[in-house]
Every structure is written in structure tokens, then in C-alpha cells.
Amino acid sequence: MGATVSTLAYLVSSVLFILALRGLSHPETSRQGNLFGMVGMGIAILATLLRPGMGGGGIAIVLAGLAIGGTIGTVVAGRIQMTALPQLVAAFHSLVGMAAVFVAAAAFYAPASFGIGTPGHIHAGSLVEMSLGLAIGAVTFSGSVIAFAKLDGRMSGAPILFPNQHKLNLALGILMLVLIIAFVATGNSLLFWLIALLAFVLGFLLIIPIGGADMPVVVSMLNSYSGWAAAGIGFTVGNILLVVTGALVGASGAILSYIMCKGMNRSIINVLLGGFGTTGGGEAGPGAGNGDRAPVKAGSPEDAAYIMKNSQKIIIVPGYGMAVAQAQQVLREMGDLLKKEGVEVSYAIHPVAGRMPGHMNVLLAEANVPYDEVKELEEINPEFAEADVAFVIGANDVTNPAAKTDKSSAIYGMPILDVERAKTVFFIKRGMASGYAGVDNELFFRPNTMMLFGDAKKVTQEIVQALQR
Ligand code: NAP
């Protein structure tokens, strides 16, 4: 295949990737979007294999990489639980970061193979691209490893703060800039590794102060970093498709981070600087007691069915626990039964409910919940005051009023679903544990709250049975 044909094939792939992103922006078109992405990647791989100068050895290496990576990817994707996707994504981002570091090192030690000069005489422009790819890649790697550890519960999700943390981050950032300038001027190998080391440390320091509730923003931000790292590699290896794809991932990740920041009422600059302004929060942990508060009122599925049957308007608020219990199907059955009874049913989606962007939308779509019944936070919040029941199933942080009232709370400032305005609030959860951010939820003790203790799927099944009686 000639160089022009391969460039043309890359262009077609780029367009397909853009269409894929467009398709993924709505649940109805997401399957088609995925298909565009897969076809685009297929064309890209084929065009790479048929590129002039690939040779038998090159093709064998690419095919071996595809076989090993493809097998591992297939096995992991087959086994992974939907609820563990965020940590898987973080782990994958770390691989992109590390790949950028390896490519930068390969280009530095064998520049001739990349057509960027000879050892000790690498073009200045290539040194700039290489050092940026190296720095962003190393930050992405160590930052993603920490994000993985936090999301997977291997380290505490609480913010790790120490005095002068932001000044230290800023000083290290400036030092990094100085090292990059010195490296571009001299091409010194010691400086190359110092940049890598400093970037690894910086990635670590940027993510440790970020508390549990802000992790969604971090995941999308690291997604963006991994895209820019890939674009950096693209420049180094002179591959236009990698530059385009990396930039697409980088830009879409940045836009998603911005949207998530808006959803969480956080400043994107603060998050970029590593939890700048994080106040932390010494809230109660899982299983927190009720102190001197009113006793908790617990009800049965039969009670809930009776109250809901006699309601006019019910708003269902799904959260992480619904995903864990895989209760979406039976939840829709419950919604259908209530609609037959003449009850108005809608579903309220908080932008960070669950453990990944769009988590609840995906699950509800999987259960064939009509899209027009699914409403976003701004749209649904005014409706809680008119609702007879807020049916909170496995959600916690996204309903917690501490976000509005407690300045010392880790979730302070995050917009929440105003479920407490409904006449009756049901919380379906297994016990009194706090949510992901580790913040005690005072709503459990309110007079208009009824706790329905148990696994979300089991409790909802029992409600469905009671409704059918
Ligand atoms: P949450 O605050 O984590 O609360 C989930 C609740 O579900 C828990 O309190 C738990 O209580 C209950 N639960 C767990 N398993 C259950 C089961 N089988 N049946 C019934 N209940 C069950 O969830 P959320 O309200 O959806 O809020 C999401 C949180 O995750 C936010 O803090 C958000 O910032 C964070 N986060 C979001 C993303 C994202 O992109 N969406 C990514 C990372 C982190 P029990 O143990 O008592 O049952």
C-alpha cells in the first residue's frame, strides 16, 4: 500500500472515530457509535500493517502484540463487573501513559529508527515532542495507578493532605518546565530520566489529595491526559492517526471533565492542580451511628407497595447500589405496574450517580426504561416538592444534604437531588453505611424517611409481588 493510500485510510478512520464520539453522546445512538469506532480501528490497523516499509518482521511484531493484548483484553472484558469499570478504565489509562514513556525512551535511544536524527543529534522539535510525551505519559501513569487504587478500594478514598501541598506541586511543575527546556537545549540522557522521575512523582501528588466524591472528574481528566500522551507519541513516531485520535480523546476527555466539574460544582482549575482548595472532611465512615438523632424508621416492602399504589407521582432515584444489585430490570417492572395503577413515574439521574459517567443511563436503557421518563438533575429537582414518593434505590451521596449545609464536608458544594422535599422518602439499602464519599447522611433520620433495608433487587422484587397481589 502506498503512503498516500495509507494516509487516506487514516483519514477515513479519523472521520469514523469522530462519528463514534458523536454516536456515543446519546444512549439511542451509542451502539452505532461503537460500531463506527470498531470499523475505524479495523481500518487503522489494516492500514498500519500495509504501510510501506513495515516488512515481515514489523508485521509479525504488530500481530503478536494484537494477539497478546487482544487476548488479555477479551478475558478482562468478559470477567469485569459493570461496577468495576471505572477502576478498569483507570488501569487502562496507566498503560497508555506507560506506552508514551516507552516510546519516548525508544525514540531517544534509537532516533534513526524514527527518522528524527542520530544519537546525540536529535532535532530540537523532536526533543520538545518527546519530552512532552514523556512528561504527560509519566504523570498519566502514576496518577492512574493511584486513581485505580482509590477506586478499587486498595487505598483509602479520603483526600491525603499535607501542609504546603499546592506550593510543592506548583514548585515541581516549574522545575519540570526548567528540566524540559534544559533537555531540549542539551539532549542529555540524565535530564531525560529526571523528567520521567519528576513526572511520576507529580502524577502521584496530583491525585492523592482528591477525595472520593471527586474521583469521577479525575477519571475523565486522566482520560484526557492519556489522549494528549498518545498524541505526543503520534508526533514522535510520525503517525498522523495517533495524533488525531490522541487529540480527540484528549479534547473529549477535557470537555467531559468540564461537564463533570459543572455537575459537581467544582472548579476545573482546582482539579487540574490536584485538589486545590480541597478541605477534606472528617465525616462519619461506613456504619456510622445516629448519635443523638431521632430513631430510624424502617418499613417493609408491603408498606412501600401500599403507599406507592396510593400515590400520584413517584420519582425513582437510582444509585450505585442498584448497579451492584442489578436491580434495574425489576425496577422497571415496578415502574410499569405503578403506571398501570395510574401513578406518574419518572427517574432522576444525578451526573455522578454510580461509579462512571452515564452509569445509571446505561443500566436503565438496558432495562428498556423509556428515555422520556429519565430526567437530569436540573430538570427533576423542582418536581420533588410535588412528588408523593422519592424512591431512592442504592443511592446515597447524591441525595445527601450535607453537600448544601456542611462546609467541612468532602461533598460540600456538589449539587444534590432534593429528595427530602417529597412527602415520603424511601431509602432502599442494606444497612446504615455511608456512600462512596464516606459522609453520614442525615436524611435517614428524618421523619418523612422510611428505610427499606435489604438488597435492592430483593426488596424491589418483594414490592413487585406486593403490588401484584
Ligand atoms: P453511593 O453514595 O456510593 O451509595 C451507594 C449506596 O448503595 C451505599 O450507601 C450502600 O449502602 C448501597 N448499596 C450497596 N450495595 C447495595 C445493594 N446490593 N443493595 C442495596 N443497596 C446497596 O452511591 P451514589 O449515591 O450513586 O453516589 C455515587 C458516588 O460515587 C458519589 O460520591 C460519586 O462522586 C462517586 N463516584 C462516581 C463516579 C461516576 O463517574 N459516577 C465515579 C467514581 C466515584 P449499604 O452498604 O448500606 O447497602
Side-chain angles (χ1 to χ4, degrees):
M1 186 189 269
T4 325
V5 182
S6 102
T7 310
L8 208 69
Y10 280 170
L11 195 70
V12 173
S13 293
S14 305
V15 172
L16 285 168
F17 290 151
I18 292 168
L19 290 175
L21 283 179
R22 202 184 127 115
L24 288 170
S25 65
H26 195 275
E28 266 175 38
T29 50
S30 59
R31 274 173 209 275
Q32 197 190 37
N34 262 326
L35 198 68
F36 280 138
M38 286 190 276
V39 174
M41 188 51 83
I43 294 175
I45 292 171
L46 216 66
T48 305
L49 286 174
L50 300 176
R51 268 183 103 173
M54 263 305 267
I59 292 179
I61 290 174
V62 173
L63 289 179
L66 274 179
I68 298 169
T71 309
I72 297 174
T74 309
V75 172
V76 172
R79 289 192 182 164
I80 198 78
Q81 293 286 327
M82 188 88 162
T83 46
L85 270 182
Q87 46 267 54
L88 180 73
V89 170
F92 281 167
H93 289 158
S94 77
L95 297 181
V96 180
M98 206 45 172
V101 173
F102 282 142
V103 171
F108 183 65
Y109 286 102
S113 327
F114 291 79
I116 55 170
T118 53
H121 301 282
I122 300 174
H123 310 144
S126 304
L127 287 175
V128 174
E129 290 155 14
M130 190 188 293
S131 50
L132 288 179
L134 171 69
I136 301 173
V139 167
T140 307
F141 173 75
S142 54
S144 301
V145 169
I146 300 297
F148 167 80
K150 284 193 172 202
L151 288 165
D152 205 41
R154 290 168 198 244
M155 75 183 267
S156 158
I160 299 175
L161 304 166
F162 54 85
N164 295 321
Q165 193 162 15
H166 306 307
K167 285 185 193 148
L168 178 71
N169 285 353
L170 195 68
L172 291 181
I174 293 169
L175 181 61
M176 170 80 81
L177 213 64
V178 173
L179 284 177
I180 289 177
I181 293 169
F183 171 70
V184 172
T186 62
N188 183 301
S189 66
L190 181 66
L191 288 171
F192 179 93
W193 291 112
L194 275 179
I195 292 172
L197 186 69
L198 189 64
F200 282 132
V201 174
L202 205 56
F204 172 80
L205 288 175
L206 284 176
I207 306 303
I208 56 164
I210 306 218
D214 288 339
M215 283 311 282
V217 184
V218 168
V219 173
S220 65
M221 195 183 74
L222 287 167
N223 176 34
S224 171
Y225 285 179
S226 75
W228 297 122
I233 306 177
F235 277 115
T236 308
V237 301
N239 186 313
I240 187 74
L241 184 65
L242 208 49
V243 176
V244 172
T245 317
L248 280 177
V249 174
S252 54
I255 293 169
L256 182 61
S257 305
Y258 176 74
I259 294 173
M260 303 279 283
C261 274
K262 263 185 77 182
M264 302 279 294
N265 201 13
R266 299 290 193 250
S267 139
I268 184 101
I269 300 294
N270 290 359
V271 178
L272 283 175
L273 290 181
F276 197 87
T278 305
T279 51
E283 296 77 12
N290 66 356
D292 53 3
R293 278 189 278 225
V296 168
K297 197 163 59 186
S300 67
E302 287 74 24
D303 297 334
Y306 179 79
I307 295 174
M308 290 201 286
K309 226 177 188 170
N310 293 295
S311 299
Q312 284 176 351
K313 184 178 172 78
I314 292 180
I315 302 178
I316 297 172
V317 179
Y320 173 66
M322 181 196 76
V324 175
Q326 288 291 295
Q328 62 273 18
Q329 205 72 42
V330 66
L331 185 67
R332 203 219 62 223
E333 280 173 39
M334 186 190 89
D336 288 350
L337 284 171
L338 288 167
K339 281 192 284 180
K340 273 198 200 138
E341 299 283 335
V343 184
E344 182 194 332
V345 177
S346 39
Y347 297 76
I349 306 288
H350 190 283
V352 298
R355 289 292 182 274
M356 60 181 177
H359 200 169
M360 297 300 117
N361 302 73
V362 171
L363 293 178
L364 295 182
E366 184 193 304
N368 292 323
V369 168
Y371 292 122
D372 58 348
E373 288 173 18
V374 180
K375 299 184 179 168
E376 303 294 328
L377 182 134
E378 298 83 22
E379 190 185 352
I380 198 82
N381 252 352
E383 294 189 25
F384 280 108
E386 303 148 20
D388 297 293
V389 172
F391 187 87
V392 184
I393 174 165
N396 191 344
D397 290 347
V398 301
T399 66
N400 195 335
K404 288 193 281 198
T405 55
D406 181 1
K407 281 196 176 157
S408 69
S409 171
I411 56 169
Y412 184 71
M414 177 173 105
I416 56 155
L417 290 163
D418 296 326
V419 295
E420 79 270 23
R421 292 197 183 162
K423 283 197 192 84
T424 305
V425 185
F426 293 135
F427 271 99
I428 294 84
K429 66 201 293 292
R430 297 159 309 173
M432 293 296 288
S434 56
Y436 185 77
V439 183
D440 197 6
N441 193 340
E442 53 139 320
L443 288 188
F444 303 163
F445 310 99
R446 292 266 179 102
N448 66 333
T449 294
M450 185 187 276
M451 304 296 290
L452 299 168
F453 288 119
D455 174 74
K457 187 170 177 179
K458 192 166 170 292
V459 171
T460 316
Q461 266 164 351
E462 286 168 7
I463 294 176
V464 165
Q465 283 160 11
L467 284 171
Q468 284 167 334
R469 267 180 227 135

